[in-house]
Amino acid sequence: MTDPTPLLRTQRLTAFYGDFQALFGVDLTLNQGETVAIIGANGAGKTTLMRAISGIVPAPADAIRLRGEPIGALSPPDVLMRGIAMVPEGRKLFPSLSVEENLLVGAHARRGKGTWTLEAIYELFPILKERRRSPGTALSGGQQQMVAIGRALMSNPDVLLCDEISLGLAPLVIRDIYAAVPKIKAAGASIVLVEQDIAQALRVADQVYCMMEGRVTLQGAPAELSREAIHDAYFGVTS
Amino acid sequence: MILLNTIVQGILLGGLYALFAAGLSLVFGVMRLVNLAHGDLIVLAAFLILSITTSLGLNPFAAVLIAAPIMFAAGWLLQAHVLNRVLDDDLLPPLLVTFGLSVVIQNALLEGFSADSQKLAAGPIEAASLSFGPLTVGVVPLMTLATAIAVIFALNQIFYRTALGRAFRATSDDAVTAGLMGIHAKRVFCIATGIAMVVATIAALYLGTRANFDPSIGPARLLYAFQAVIIGGLGSLWGTLIGGIVIGLAQTLGAAVNPEWQILSGHLAFAAILLIRPRGLFPRAND
């Protein structure tokens, strides 16, 4: 690696919900231009990891670094201002806002000029332009997911965190949504994906992390990982 | 003809109640905070206008231009240093804090201005009236209703046409996700309370030019404001205007039958509407 400072790195990241410890020393590295996928069963800590990076769950300041700068202790708005946007689990559109307003609210803290404008989002997901006056929550699940992704892109992030963007969607819809990933990468964002669908994760990712019970149990490039190793890491089988 | 006149007076009085209620409605809509000190804050603004008129010799309509930014700042500070600290999933702490604030404001005003009745002297405009055929309508009541409509129109424009309004609605829907959009919920709340205090100052101007006021009248204004908000449907600003008019009409019609029935009639109308439409006339769909 030529650049010693990765874009985003967590080191020995711990996170708690009250007394309950959800992450136990997670190390994750995202290099510029990469897509990292995080797989794991329910309760493995994947969403907590996303929430810690985005500032919703408090973390030690220097356990999360963006271009070497500690960002662990920042609030979600400040993390966004540094260039990390999140597509939250469950999409979380604002029911009082139309599709277009949901997208515009994503640009509330827009950082300078960038690729992602309303027009660019409508080009990425043309159906949203037709539905732009509808309340966000009146859309189908897949369309809502497109709004959630578009809303996060509107801040022109350097890092896009996607939490379970295929959850509860039909295979054809998932295919449409994942078709956007290369375009998002081409526009300059690096991506961290949380994904339950292992095959999907292996297809798009440069690096895969498997988590279990708040720890990383396996890490590597998709080509290097055997089905057995993933199976064991996912289900916690010790050989 | 007396009936028509009574109805017109009732609608115009409703404008005043809508002004009392608009700030309350705004704050509730943005942060789900029930501000029990809202009536006292209106009375505080009235005393502020009074102080400016007496010390600078200004007309109250000019003094309000000085009072409004002061009240905006006061609202911001109140939100930043008191209310933001108690806003949580639990509704009780902010309720208790604003109740305490109400007592503090009343007693501070009593200490500073005594219990004497005061009035804002606006000059000849107070007695001016316009004739529409057989009807004669006071200029100040007419201005009150026109101002209420203008204020609610302006608040609606802010809510539905600006980035600030989108931030208000997004924060009200889901403050955590709004944070992911770069919206600092607590800063948004400070702006909302600041704007509500500007509206309270405008309400205070008409409160003080139309009738006497003293430090103790805040809670009754709060009650009318509450009724207007609830009749209109929580979170609907135009509903709040209609709610104010319903209370104003009921009070004026009741008073026309028997002057002792004025206040009671307002409460009865409120109870009747709650029985028929428990969520108010124009409830927000997603509450």
Side-chain angles (χ1 to χ4, degrees):
Chain A
M1 195 165 51
T2 50
D3 184 357
T5 313
L7 181 58
L8 177 71
R9 166 174 272 175
T10 72
Q11 279 175 306
R12 294 181 294 283
L13 173 61
T14 54
F16 295 82
Y17 290 109
D19 289 336
F20 174 75
Q21 185 162 6
L23 295 180
F24 297 84
V26 172
D27 292 342
L28 177 141
T29 302
L30 173 72
N31 291 308
Q32 177 69 44
E34 271 187 355
T35 298
V36 162
I38 300 166
I39 58 175
N42 279 335
K46 308 183 299 293
T47 291
T48 305
L49 176 58
M50 295 292 104
R51 290 167 69 92
I53 296 172
S54 63
I56 297 174
V57 173
D62 50 11
I64 308 170
R65 287 174 182 270
L66 183 71
R67 295 186 198 86
E69 294 281 313
I71 60 161
L74 299 182
S75 68
D78 293 331
V79 171
L80 181 84
M81 292 301 290
R82 300 292 181 95
I84 302 179
M86 175 145 99
V87 183
E89 184 184 19
R91 308 184 268 272
K92 303 275 168 61
L93 299 190
F94 299 109
S96 305
L97 273 58
S98 69
V99 166
E100 187 153 298
E101 287 177 324
N102 265 284
L103 293 173
L104 287 171
V105 101
H108 185 85
R110 192 185 187 82
R111 301 159 53 252
K113 288 207 172 97
T115 318
W116 298 108
T117 59
L118 266 186
E119 281 315 307
I121 302 293
Y122 289 149
E123 205 173 302
L124 188 67
F125 300 120
I127 183 70
L128 298 187
K129 188 164 189 177
E130 288 170 36
R131 307 295 311 270
R132 66 185 187 276
R133 305 249 175 266
S134 312
T137 42
L139 272 56
S140 72
Q143 292 167 356
Q144 288 194 29
Q145 191 63 67
M146 292 172 188
V147 178
I149 294 170
R151 184 178 65 175
L153 288 174
M154 285 292 281
S155 66
N156 282 311
D158 300 323
V159 177
L160 185 67
L161 309 175
C162 297
D163 196 354
E164 305 262 15
I165 52 174
S166 65
L167 194 67
L169 301 180
L172 279 179
V173 179
I174 296 175
R175 199 192 60 191
D176 285 353
I177 286 176
Y178 268 93
V181 170
K183 296 176 193 168
I184 295 169
K185 281 182 77 169
S190 310
I191 303 173
V192 181
L193 280 171
V194 164
E195 187 52 79
Q196 295 239 355
D197 181 340
I198 298 173
Q200 188 65 260
L202 294 175
R203 254 197 304 280
V204 297
D206 301 301
Q207 284 285 318
V208 177
Y209 288 73
C210 186
M211 289 182 69
M212 205 184 76
E213 291 175 350
R215 294 177 175 85
V216 173
T217 49
L218 181 72
Q219 180 209 337
E224 301 164 356
L225 301 175
S226 69
R227 290 180 72 89
E228 290 71 28
I230 293 172
H231 177 276
D232 291 355
Y234 196 99
F235 293 106
V237 180
T238 46
S239 47
Chain B
M1 192 43 63
I2 292 173
L3 179 66
L4 180 64
N5 188 50
T6 308
I7 289 172
V8 170
Q9 300 306 333
I11 292 171
L12 294 178
L13 179 62
L16 182 64
Y17 293 162
L19 280 175
F20 291 160
L24 199 68
S25 186
L26 169 72
V27 166
F28 184 83
V30 173
M31 64 193 95
R32 297 289 180 274
L33 168 74
V34 176
N35 184 357
L36 293 182
H38 189 72
D40 304 290
L41 287 162
I42 294 171
V43 176
L44 175 72
F47 276 103
L48 178 62
I49 297 171
L50 180 72
S51 304
I52 295 169
T53 54
T54 48
S55 60
L56 301 180
L58 287 173
N59 185 286
F61 285 87
V64 83
L65 298 176
I66 300 172
I70 296 174
M71 288 301 288
F72 181 92
W76 182 295
L77 292 174
L78 172 66
Q79 187 69 40
H81 295 291
V82 182
L83 300 178
N84 275 346
R85 292 167 181 239
V86 288
L87 276 175
D88 205 345
D89 292 337
D90 191 352
L91 283 174
L92 196 56
L95 215 54
L96 290 176
V97 164
T98 56
F99 180 71
L101 185 66
S102 157
V103 176
V104 169
I105 293 172
Q106 283 178 51
N107 283 283
L109 289 176
L110 211 51
E111 198 63 41
F113 295 90
S114 84
D116 294 347
S117 272
Q118 306 284 353
K119 196 168 176 309
L120 298 176
I125 195 172
E126 284 176 36
S129 63
L130 296 171
S131 290
F132 301 96
L135 278 180
T136 303
V137 179
V139 168
V140 172
L142 207 56
M143 284 172 65
T144 312
L145 180 65
T147 307
I149 293 170
V151 162
I152 284 172
F153 177 78
L155 289 178
N156 255 294
Q157 291 298 108
I158 292 174
F159 250 72
Y160 295 102
R161 296 270 182 275
T162 67
L164 176 65
R166 279 198 299 272
F168 279 164
R169 285 180 290 146
T171 309
S172 165
D173 279 349
D174 180 349
V176 172
T177 306
L180 292 175
M181 305 299 124
I183 298 168
H184 287 91
K186 295 197 161 173
R187 209 173 292 164
V188 165
F189 293 165
C190 288
I191 299 172
T193 301
I195 294 173
M197 285 305 102
V198 170
V199 176
T201 312
I202 297 168
L205 170 69
Y206 289 105
L207 170 79
T209 46
R210 287 172 64 124
N212 291 338
F213 60 94
D214 64 67
S216 70
I217 67 162
R221 307 315 110 174
L222 173 75
L223 196 58
Y224 305 151
F226 252 131
Q227 292 178 338
V229 172
I230 290 169
I231 288 175
L234 289 172
S236 162
L237 286 162
W238 288 115
T240 297
L241 177 67
I242 303 298
I245 289 173
V246 168
I247 298 289
L249 261 179
Q251 285 191 1
T252 316
L253 288 170
V257 178
N258 181 337
E260 288 178 0
W261 291 3
Q262 180 186 347
I263 306 299
L264 178 64
S265 315
H267 297 332
L268 287 177
F270 172 66
I273 286 178
L274 267 196
L275 280 177
I276 304 163
R277 301 281 301 254
R279 300 183 65 217
L281 299 175
F282 308 99
R284 259 206 320 208
N286 55 320
D287 272 342

